[in-house]
Amino acid sequence: MREERGRRRMLDWPKDRPSFRCLPPRVVPSNANFCASISPTKGEPEDEKHLNQENNHGENHEDWKDIVRRGGSLKEVDLDQGVNGWASPPGSVFMVRGRNYFVKKLKSPSADWILKPLGVDWLKSNAKLDHVLARSDNRVMRALETAQVTEGKGLKDFVVAVNLQVPGKEHYSAVFYFVTEDPILPGTLLYRFIHEDDAFRNSRFKLINRIVRGPWIVKATVGNHAACLLGKALTCHYIRGPNYFEIDVDIGSSTVATYILHLALGYVTSVSVDMAFLIESQADDELPERILGAVRIAQIEMESAAYVESQTTQDKGTAACQGSNPQSNLSWRSRLGRGFSLLGNSGKISKTEDKGADK
């Protein structure tokens, strides 16, 4: 009788009412996995968080170069879609002097970079920032020294930094970091560039820029695939350390360069530019050219720059030198407006620099 009544109830069960079903037992994560699934404490620096995770897992510490790439005021972003950050384009997008350049005057795509990209710092200060790799708060050298002292790693790593100094009421610096884990062999162009005098360096240090995205006024003024010998066009200071080499490029030393850069900064949030640094080949046995390192700056914002105190503000010689520059007290916006008077000759500017670099 009970079975019959139960069968009738099942037949009378409304079809639109959900039926009961057996559920698998709920799996409760272990404490370690559960903690790992929780987002980090708000405000904890990304680098510090990752280092703490590595330390909790034993001796398998993360490579110092990965820590550097993840840090900085300008973050690494996707090469094609990223904004307000940096990425590293392949060497093949840059045209350099080919194997038979001095005979046929033909350029060819570069092989991949000699130096690996390490990161970019977008900084501002109350004065020009010189010799940033020697600063006690420089995150790149601090990470390298920590790895060398505490872990015995990175002992052969060599850092190369290019510091583009943008003058104005607020001084900006775009610092590009590169690294090599391989020994720099004597006789190579890079070895000669590091160890020879400034006259050799000024005659060889070259920049190739490539506008990836941007308004026509920037493309027309800056030029595309324009090559320039920075050592001849601008004042460059070269500093060789025990495990690094820094190039400080004073853009304020050239009126034309200041105008072009500040024009680009006026559209900075809509401009993406590839920049490749290389040592120019001037003899057949130095061909083909190969870029040292390349960086894409993708639609950055001026406000993303990290403020740092200048360590040279108390240096009277430096202060006197800056005071002698009549443009040093003008904001970049003021010089940008004045620079528009040169716009009619913008095509001549970019072509002349390109031609001068590749004579």
Side-chain angles (χ1 to χ4, degrees):
M1 292 294 291
R2 291 181 180 177
E3 293 180 0
E4 184 65 25
R5 285 197 297 268
R7 195 178 296 113
R8 288 177 183 174
R9 289 176 180 172
M10 292 297 294
L11 291 174
D12 294 337
W13 193 272
K15 293 183 179 181
D16 59 346
R17 192 168 178 179
S19 59
F20 294 106
R21 58 187 177 89
C22 295
L23 298 175
R26 183 179 179 185
V27 178
V28 180
S30 65
N31 189 46
N33 292 335
F34 181 71
C35 292
S37 66
I38 300 176
S39 59
T41 304
K42 185 176 181 180
E44 182 181 5
E46 182 69 19
D47 294 354
E48 185 176 331
K49 177 200 71 174
H50 208 88
L51 280 173
N52 291 337
Q53 290 178 351
E54 291 291 339
N55 291 336
N56 291 336
H57 285 81
E59 298 180 356
N60 187 22
H61 298 288
E62 185 180 19
D63 188 85
W64 73 273
K65 293 181 284 293
D66 294 329
I67 298 174
V68 170
R69 287 185 70 128
R70 197 173 51 250
S73 58
L74 207 60
K75 303 298 183 183
E76 185 175 10
V77 297
D78 179 76
L79 179 63
D80 299 315
Q81 304 297 328
V83 296
N84 196 26
W86 70 275
S88 187
S92 58
V93 303
F94 299 96
M95 301 297 290
V96 298
R97 296 180 173 186
R99 191 170 298 278
N100 298 315
Y101 177 81
F102 295 113
V103 176
K104 299 182 178 181
K105 300 297 180 182
L106 296 178
K107 294 186 177 183
S108 59
S110 172
D112 220 350
W113 0 271
I114 297 174
L115 306 172
K116 295 180 180 179
L118 195 54
V120 178
D121 276 340
W122 180 227
L123 308 173
K124 68 178 178 179
S125 183
N126 56 323
K128 186 167 61 175
L129 297 174
D130 295 312
H131 200 178
V132 294
L133 290 181
R135 293 176 60 100
S136 59
D137 58 354
N138 182 267
R139 65 186 183 89
V140 175
M141 298 308 296
R142 188 168 55 189
L144 174 56
E145 291 167 2
T146 299
Q148 291 175 337
V149 173
T150 63
E151 304 170 28
K153 296 181 179 180
L155 298 177
K156 296 182 179 180
D157 292 350
F158 191 86
V159 175
V160 175
V162 181
N163 175 17
L164 299 184
Q165 302 167 321
V166 184
K169 187 175 181 180
E170 290 181 313
H171 292 255
Y172 286 86
S173 273
V175 189
F176 307 94
Y177 301 102
F178 306 95
V179 66
T180 179
E181 303 169 356
D182 302 320
I184 301 173
L185 300 178
T188 61
L189 271 180
L190 180 56
Y191 183 93
R192 294 173 59 193
F193 185 78
I194 292 173
H195 291 87
E196 293 196 20
D197 59 17
D198 287 357
F200 176 84
R201 295 162 177 159
N202 287 334
S203 67
R204 299 292 189 118
F205 185 47
K206 185 160 69 175
L207 166 70
I208 301 176
N209 66 59
R210 172 177 172 266
I211 304 298
V212 181
R213 285 183 294 272
W216 69 268
I217 191 172
V218 176
K219 293 180 179 179
T221 306
V222 178
N224 214 15
H225 293 282
C228 176
L229 281 171
L230 290 181
K232 288 188 175 180
L234 304 170
T235 299
C236 297
H237 298 283
Y238 308 91
I239 307 109
R240 179 159 61 99
N243 54 358
Y244 69 83
F245 188 80
E246 179 176 335
I247 308 166
D248 291 344
V249 182
D250 183 5
I251 297 175
S253 61
S254 166
T255 303
V256 173
T258 300
Y259 154 68
I260 292 175
L261 179 64
H262 287 152
L263 173 65
L265 289 178
Y267 298 90
V268 67
T269 57
S270 60
V271 172
S272 292
V273 58
D274 288 344
M275 292 183 288
F277 302 99
L278 66 157
I279 304 169
E280 185 176 77
S281 297
Q282 298 180 359
D284 286 327
D285 60 354
E286 297 172 350
L287 295 173
E289 285 182 335
R290 186 179 172 189
I291 63 173
L292 293 177
V295 170
R296 174 172 297 178
I297 299 299
Q299 299 171 249
I300 65 172
E301 298 180 6
M302 299 294 289
E303 294 77 13
S304 63
Y307 184 83
V308 294
E309 287 289 343
S310 171
Q311 295 181 340
T312 62
T313 53
Q314 296 180 352
D315 187 323
K316 295 182 180 179
T318 302
C321 179
Q322 292 172 346
S324 65
N325 184 356
Q327 292 188 349
S328 63
N329 293 324
L330 296 177
S331 70
W332 66 268
R333 296 180 186 274
S334 299
R335 291 205 301 279
L336 175 61
R338 189 169 64 185
F340 270 103
S341 62
L342 297 174
L343 186 57
N345 296 322
S346 62
K348 296 179 182 179
I349 292 171
S350 60
K351 291 179 181 177
T352 302
E353 290 187 346
D354 191 25
K355 188 180 297 183
D358 280 336
K359 286 183 179 180

